[in-house]
Amino acid sequence: MKRTIKLVYEPQEERWLIIYATDSLCYCYKVDNVNPPMLSRVFEVGYNPYKREEVVDEMSEFVQEEFKKIEGN
């Protein structure tokens, strides 16, 4: 299963969003806090209750790694 994770900045709302997409799932969460990671659901398409916790954990790790790159650490 191919997946895509992207961190995008929404300038109008001045917030960061993380998007997780596969062939059957699409989750969009806003980043409330980076360390510790806190994500709030914006929308979910193809919701899978058995996979959701795993996906959110993966997105949290991705957010931390991306912000480390942005900050230059």
Side-chain angles (χ1 to χ4, degrees):
M1 175 172 65
K2 183 180 175 185
R3 66 160 173 72
T4 302
I5 302 178
K6 291 189 177 192
L7 181 67
V8 295
Y9 184 70
E10 183 184 20
Q12 189 173 19
E13 296 288 326
E14 296 183 355
R15 66 179 179 180
W16 288 93
L17 298 172
I18 184 162
I19 300 167
Y20 179 99
T22 66
D23 295 335
S24 59
L25 300 171
C26 183
Y27 292 171
C28 180
Y29 281 67
K30 76 177 177 180
V31 179
D32 295 321
N33 193 21
V34 177
N35 195 9
M38 292 177 62
L39 306 175
S40 297
R41 180 178 56 224
V42 176
F43 69 83
E44 296 176 339
V45 177
Y47 174 72
N48 181 341
Y50 303 106
K51 190 159 175 76
R52 183 176 185 211
E53 186 175 336
E54 177 185 324
V55 169
V56 171
D57 289 343
E58 189 175 350
M59 288 192 300
S60 295
E61 290 174 20
F62 182 80
V63 165
Q64 285 184 315
E65 291 171 10
E66 289 300 304
F67 273 98
K68 284 180 183 177
K69 290 177 190 175
I70 291 170
E71 293 171 352
N73 292 331

